Amino acid sequence: MKQLSAMNPAEEQVPLTFDFSAYLAAGETIASAAFDVGVWNAGVDPSPAALLVGSPTIFNAGTAVQQHASGGVDGCDYRIRCKATTQGVAPARVIALVSLLPVRNA
């Protein structure tokens, strides 16, 4: 699991970028993506999905996904999972990448 730089919940909105290029076959791109969020191992947040801002964006010729995050609870470590559905190579696949986002007042 990739660890991201800590985000300040009171001051920042950060882009979370997931690069799937190493996992895609020739001619395969991302058709759609969805994110889910949970508290990993530190802190308590009754609604971790509220960390996500807006909708994900597919970019870089269909090989990467970006989602913005803001807020959260100071002291929480969030597990951010991006599930991408592919196109261009049959059958379509679902590929998931996971990162850890610490949220700290600093």
Side-chain angles (χ1 to χ4, degrees), residues 7 37-38 45-54 67-73 78:
M7 178 182 74
V37 180
D45 184 345
S47 46
L51 190 75
L52 302 177
V53 177
Q67 170 72 57
H68 283 85
S70 182
V73 175
Y78 292 91

Side-chain angles (χ1 to χ4, degrees), residues 3-101:
Q3 179 155 342
L4 304 170
S5 298
M7 178 182 74
N8 185 316
E11 299 176 356
E12 294 184 281
Q13 181 178 103
V14 298
L16 307 174
T17 302
F18 290 77
D19 183 359
F20 289 87
S21 59
Y23 306 96
L24 298 172
E28 189 175 29
T29 59
I30 297 168
S32 64
F35 280 79
D36 63 76
V37 180
V39 175
W40 178 246
N41 64 355
V44 176
D45 184 345
S47 46
L51 190 75
L52 302 177
V53 177
S55 298
T57 303
I58 299 168
F59 70 104
N60 201 28
T63 65
V65 180
Q66 188 172 78
Q67 170 72 57
H68 283 85
S70 182
V73 175
D74 180 39
C76 278
D77 292 335
Y78 292 91
R79 179 211 28 90
I80 313 289
R81 181 173 55 183
C82 179
K83 291 182 358 182
T85 302
T86 67
Q87 65 183 2
V89 175
R93 300 185 300 144
V94 175
I95 306 168
L97 295 179
V98 179
S99 291
L100 182 67
L101 177 65

